[in-house]
């Protein structure tokens, strides 16, 4: 099972996801894909098994991922202060992977029906959803 975490900026969301997932499933291999070296480094330091940086690794790893986790902005071109290129957003959106997206309600988008919660609450929900998906498989 290929679990891919995509993040940008400082990698805070990706880092937290890696930490929580590794705590629950230490043997699950995690692919940390950052839009910049800081994000990738943060996720690798948190315990991700593999890491790569940039647009092409986002595209390549989205192609064959079973699960993709990250902030909702990874499916919106030009989000994360421009770090998500149209090619990344298209690759993630078109991927057949099961996508677990963290709503941040920033960058000029709002997910209707999503309760306002803290990032910590959203991260716990994302890890729980991953657990449900893993149990199904």
């Amino acid at each position: 099972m290929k679990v891919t975490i995509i993040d940008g900026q400082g990698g805070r969301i990706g880092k937290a996801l890696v930490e929580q997932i590794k705590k629950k499933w230490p043997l699950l291999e995690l692919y940390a894909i950052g839009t910049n070296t800081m994000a990738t480094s943060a996720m690798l330091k948190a315990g991700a098994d593999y890491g790569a940086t940039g647009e092409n690794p986002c595209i390549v790893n989205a192609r064959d991922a079973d699960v993709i986790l990250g902030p909702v902005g990874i499916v919106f071109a030009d989000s994360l202060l421009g770090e998500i290129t149209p090619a990344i957003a298209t690759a993630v959106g078109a991927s057949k992977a099961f996508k677990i997206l963290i709503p941040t309600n920033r960058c000029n988008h709002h997910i209707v029906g999503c309760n306002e919660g803290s990032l910590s609450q959203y991260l716990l929900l994302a890890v729980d959803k991953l657990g449900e998906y893993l149990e199904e498989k």
Side-chain angles (χ1 to χ4, degrees):
M1 167 116 5
K2 184 172 182 180
V3 177
T4 301
I5 299 171
I6 300 174
D7 199 7
Q9 302 288 288
R12 187 176 115 194
I13 291 174
K15 176 182 183 249
L17 284 169
V18 170
E19 289 170 346
Q20 290 185 32
I21 292 167
K22 280 295 187 178
K23 190 183 300 182
K24 245 180 162 168
W25 302 283
L27 300 179
L28 190 61
E29 290 188 336
L30 301 180
Y31 291 74
I33 310 301
T35 59
N36 63 64
T37 56
M38 279 184 21
T40 305
S41 177
M43 292 186 281
L44 285 170
K45 285 179 186 173
D49 299 286
Y50 308 99
T53 303
E55 180 182 71
N56 200 56
C58 288
I59 294 167
V60 169
N61 284 279
R63 188 179 306 139
D64 64 350
D66 294 302
V67 180
I68 296 174
L69 295 100
V72 70
I74 64 175
V75 295
F76 295 117
D78 300 331
S79 66
L80 278 67
L81 296 176
E83 291 186 20
I84 301 300
T85 65
I88 292 172
T90 299
V92 173
S95 173
K96 294 190 184 310
F98 182 69
K99 295 163 201 75
I100 302 172
L101 304 172
I102 311 297
T104 54
N105 292 335
R106 294 178 9 189
C107 301
N108 267 348
H109 60 266
H110 177 82
I111 309 300
V112 174
C114 181
N115 296 325
E116 289 297 323
S118 69
L119 181 57
S120 299
Q121 291 169 317
Y122 288 142
L123 291 169
L124 289 173
L125 291 171
V127 172
D128 288 346
K129 184 51 97 175
L130 176 60
E132 291 173 18
Y133 180 80
L134 293 173
E135 285 178 18
E136 289 175 11
K137 300 298 172 187

